[in-house]
Amino acid sequence: VASMVRATGASTNGAGPLIQAVARMGAPLYLCQPPTGYGENSSEWLSSATLLERMNFAVALTGSRINGSRVEVSRFAPPGATDDSDRVIDHLLAILVHSDVSGGTGENLARVLSETRSKTTPAKFDGRAPQKNNEMLATLMALILGSREFQVK
């Protein structure tokens, strides 16, 4: 949770919802029995349910749907390159992951971007174009934040 908030530069005063999100991911604050805290080894906390909760949190965070938290998605758009799929993905990866991702993750991001654009690309003169572009960026950001590469960095 903290790394997603930090990576997106989210502004937040939503301590309660963030604490609840951490608890839903299986690591409630101050409730770990040994005084050493929760383990850093992913095998101790990684499960399908945890990954799904992390993805749900990423979607909610990038969509600014967490009470008290907001992400300014528009600042993640590469300057003048929203039509270049590879550049959009590379730009987001550089900002959020700071490294390359697996071929599977890259292909999935490209597929989602292509499908999203084919379904929701408004005309250039449409006043909703910036909103649709931000929604597309939020979707890609959520997928990156929920990716294995982000989770293990």
Side-chain angles (χ1 to χ4, degrees):
V1 170
S3 60
M4 286 187 200
V5 170
R6 206 174 307 122
T8 60
S11 59
T12 187
N13 64 358
L18 297 179
I19 290 169
Q20 291 169 0
V22 171
R24 284 192 306 273
M25 292 179 202
L29 296 179
Y30 310 116
L31 295 179
C32 185
Q33 291 304 314
T36 55
Y38 295 104
E40 292 185 27
N41 187 353
S42 64
S43 65
E44 297 174 20
W45 54 264
L46 190 62
S47 70
S48 298
T50 302
L51 289 176
L52 181 59
E53 189 59 46
R54 286 171 182 260
M55 182 58 76
N56 287 337
F57 179 80
V59 169
L61 180 66
T62 58
S64 293
R65 291 189 302 265
I66 295 175
N67 288 337
S69 299
R70 179 154 182 78
V71 174
E72 291 297 329
V73 175
S74 59
R75 71 183 188 87
F76 289 90
T82 56
D83 292 337
D84 183 348
S85 296
D86 290 336
R87 189 161 171 208
V88 169
I89 292 170
D90 290 344
H91 183 74
L92 290 175
L93 289 172
I95 292 171
L96 298 172
V97 182
H98 310 290
S99 66
D100 290 331
V101 294
S102 70
T105 299
E107 290 169 10
N108 188 40
L109 292 169
R111 181 184 53 78
V112 168
L113 180 56
S114 174
E115 289 174 3
T116 302
R117 281 193 167 148
S118 69
K119 293 176 186 174
T120 62
T121 302
K124 297 263 186 220
F125 58 83
D126 189 344
R128 297 173 298 166
Q131 176 189 352
K132 293 296 182 185
N133 191 44
N134 286 345
E135 290 171 6
M136 176 196 64
L137 287 171
T139 298
L140 287 174
M141 288 172 64
L143 288 173
I144 292 168
L145 294 174
S147 72
R148 179 184 182 282
E149 290 83 358
F150 184 86
Q151 298 298 319
V152 298
K153 73 172 191 142

